[in-house]
Amino acid sequence: MKAPEKQSSPYAFYGSIPFSQAIPLGLQHVMAMFVGNLTPLIIIMGACGLTVDAGYGAMRTAILQNAMIIAGVVTLVQMFSIGPCGGKVPIVMGTSSGFLGVFQSTVAALGGGALTYGAIMGACIIGGIFEGILGCFLKPLRRFFPPVVTGCVVMAIGLSLLSVGINYLCGGSGTKDYGSGYNLFLGAVVLISILLMKHFTNPTSLLSTSSILFGILIGYLVAIVMTLTLPNTAVTADGTEYTCAWVVKFASVRDAAWISLPCFIGIGALSDLHLTFDISVILPVCIMFIVTAIETVGDISGCMEGGVGREATDEELSGGVICDGLGSAFAALFGVLPNTSFSQNVGLVSMTHVVNRMALTCGAVFLVLCGLCPKIGACVSIMPQPVLGGAAVMMFASILVSGIQLVTREPITSREVTIISVALGLGYGLGSTTGATAHLPYYVQLIFGGSGIVPAAFAAILLNVLLPKGLMTPSTAAKAK
């Protein structure tokens, strides 16, 4: 597909803008996804017993370093494409948290250790290739994804992320000072800063277009001042002392190396890891890659609707899903979990409408530099979660708004109302109700449990096929009489 004529605007994908504008616009994407890019790896390595205390410190550092590099590289492929791989869309790629459930089940079944982690990586290679093949056949399946279906999926994604944004704002799940006044204050500083810069400055100025980045930086600076001037610890009701969630931990930056090169599985710091292929692991992982393909269709649809104001094309969806799959297989060679489209950044695009490829390229290059220079990565990774939460609550809600825009592109009849109602009722209901699928077979739990995105997509696709078209709304019927 021929690229459209270039425009000097951050709101045009192919626009040429100065680096002074592109760099901050790209950095705000990195800020939005940096913590989420590393957290799934930390969780699964911990579940496998690959901890610092067990002697795997160098391996953990190398895998986290690889995760930043891979996210940057796969994002570049998604935006520029290599043959059919890549949709040429403003999507940021990163380590997926959607696979955590199946990977934790794998660890429970196989017993953990480096061998189990190697089996997970082997399954990711097979599953990634499977999704890549699925993406090649996405075009004939496009008729099953009209705006009402993709809109339901996008809204389900947005709804599933609302609680994530609030959790960040309150300090992060499991923290001892969850919801404390200091955490909420930091999040409020970021949110108010973004609103002031976004709507009370010149709309074309750098402060307005990069309001997310500057809001996060302001919150980060406030957190540093708080860390240097206020007590860093508190005591629980039972007398246990803990470090507050808003504290900036400078030790990670001090201990990080200046330069470090990536390595493959079986080489260097990853020499204890070896790829193995276990059908009991591969099958559920492949099922999850089907789920991921559906989410990617929703993410790309939401990104194009929210950022560009149009539906995604067949080529964009197909290329995006292929990149999702092959990028995940490539990531596994470096010991990194599947790399998929990041919904957090879809929200950022929907809110700012900044889709410029040059800006996102700067963000992707910065991710690669963070991997090559761990000290830079450490500076970003120590950012307290309440700072990110102040921006996330607004960004994630923007995804929901993009879904609403998608379903309202065409007149809403009673047919569409039924599809949306059932899809969101099942999707959000199952996703937000813990244990709703607990007594169903394992593979049913795997597909329909968790976020609720898949049941919403399944219901929307099925009803779109089964319900007769041409139904009129009551007001339309009245006019017809």
Side-chain angles (χ1 to χ4, degrees), residues 181-251:
Y182 288 128
N183 291 337
L184 298 178
F185 168 73
L186 263 183
V189 166
V190 175
L191 181 58
I192 292 171
S193 298
I194 292 171
L195 292 174
L196 290 176
M197 287 184 283
K198 181 69 178 174
H199 296 286
F200 291 91
T201 62
N202 187 334
T204 62
S205 69
L206 187 62
L207 276 179
S208 180
T209 56
S210 302
S211 58
I212 298 291
L213 173 64
F214 290 119
I216 289 174
L217 289 178
I218 290 171
Y220 200 169
L221 290 174
V222 171
I224 291 174
V225 172
M226 291 170 60
T227 301
L228 296 175
T229 58
L230 297 174
N232 291 183
T233 59
V235 180
T236 61
D238 60 3
T240 305
E241 189 177 47
Y242 63 89
T243 302
C244 299
W246 49 265
V247 173
V248 181
K249 301 176 178 66
F250 301 103

Side-chain angles (χ1 to χ4, degrees), residues 61-428:
T61 301
I63 290 176
L64 293 175
Q65 169 196 343
N66 287 350
M68 292 181 277
I69 296 173
I70 295 300
V73 170
V74 179
T75 297
L76 290 172
V77 174
Q78 185 70 278
M79 289 190 294
F80 289 90
S81 80
I82 299 177
C85 183
K88 293 186 178 180
V89 289
I91 288 284
V92 175
M93 309 293 285
T95 310
S96 173
S97 60
F99 288 79
L100 286 179
V102 65
F103 290 155
Q104 287 174 326
S105 298
T106 297
V107 173
L110 301 184
L115 286 176
T116 297
Y117 198 85
I120 289 173
M121 291 300 103
C124 289
I125 291 176
I126 301 299
I129 294 172
F130 170 69
E131 187 189 2
I133 295 172
L134 185 65
C136 295
F137 296 95
L138 197 64
K139 187 173 183 177
L141 298 174
R142 180 66 191 275
R143 65 189 182 91
F144 295 107
F145 294 94
V148 67
V149 172
T150 53
C152 284
V153 175
V154 173
M155 283 192 286
I157 292 171
L159 287 169
S160 71
L161 286 172
L162 292 181
S163 61
V164 176
I166 291 297
N167 277 331
Y168 283 160
L169 180 69
C170 293
S173 298
T175 54
K176 296 286 194 305
D177 60 338
Y178 185 87
S180 72
Y182 288 128
N183 291 337
L184 298 178
F185 168 73
L186 263 183
V189 166
V190 175
L191 181 58
I192 292 171
S193 298
I194 292 171
L195 292 174
L196 290 176
M197 287 184 283
K198 181 69 178 174
H199 296 286
F200 291 91
T201 62
N202 187 334
T204 62
S205 69
L206 187 62
L207 276 179
S208 180
T209 56
S210 302
S211 58
I212 298 291
L213 173 64
F214 290 119
I216 289 174
L217 289 178
I218 290 171
Y220 200 169
L221 290 174
V222 171
I224 291 174
V225 172
M226 291 170 60
T227 301
L228 296 175
T229 58
L230 297 174
N232 291 183
T233 59
V235 180
T236 61
D238 60 3
T240 305
E241 189 177 47
Y242 63 89
T243 302
C244 299
W246 49 265
V247 173
V248 181
K249 301 176 178 66
F250 301 103
S252 299
V253 179
R254 182 193 63 221
D255 297 338
W258 280 105
I259 299 294
S260 183
L261 298 177
C263 52
F264 289 96
I265 278 185
I267 299 175
L270 303 186
S271 58
D272 290 337
L273 290 180
H274 301 282
L275 292 174
T276 58
F277 300 93
D278 186 328
I279 189 63
S280 66
V281 184
I282 292 172
L283 182 59
V285 168
C286 283
I287 292 174
M288 283 308 302
F289 270 104
I290 297 175
V291 174
T292 294
I294 294 173
E295 291 186 14
T296 298
V297 168
D299 280 341
I300 294 175
S301 298
C303 196
M304 298 309 293
E305 174 65 34
V308 184
R310 63 169 176 81
E311 288 187 57
T313 65
D314 292 338
E315 291 77 12
E316 288 167 343
L317 291 176
S318 178
V321 172
I322 292 172
C323 181
D324 220 61
L326 299 187
S328 296
F330 177 67
L333 297 175
F334 293 85
V336 178
L337 300 181
N339 261 237
T340 64
S341 58
F342 247 54
S343 297
Q344 290 93 321
N345 298 83
V346 175
L348 182 56
V349 168
S350 299
M351 194 176 83
T352 64
H353 303 291
V354 174
V355 296
N356 184 268
R357 183 166 66 174
M358 185 175 176
L360 270 70
T361 297
C362 289
V365 170
F366 183 77
L367 278 171
V368 175
L369 292 177
C370 285
L372 296 175
C373 180
K375 201 170 282 290
I376 297 177
C379 289
V380 181
S381 66
I382 63 173
M383 179 178 63
Q385 290 205 47
V387 174
L388 177 60
V393 290
M394 190 172 179
M395 291 190 300
F396 295 169
S398 296
I399 300 175
L400 177 62
V401 174
S402 295
I404 294 172
Q405 290 174 330
L406 267 172
V407 298
T408 55
R409 288 183 69 88
E410 298 176 358
I412 301 294
T413 67
S414 58
R415 178 179 182 274
E416 279 69 37
V417 170
T418 299
I419 293 173
I420 297 167
S421 301
V422 174
L424 292 185
L426 285 175
Y428 185 68

Side-chain angles (χ1 to χ4, degrees), residues 35-77:
V35 176
N37 186 47
L38 302 180
T39 301
L41 283 161
I42 294 171
I43 292 172
I44 296 303
M45 286 191 290
C48 288
L50 306 181
T51 62
V52 175
D53 294 338
Y56 292 102
M59 178 189 293
R60 287 171 62 90
T61 301
I63 290 176
L64 293 175
Q65 169 196 343
N66 287 350
M68 292 181 277
I69 296 173
I70 295 300
V73 170
V74 179
T75 297
L76 290 172
V77 174

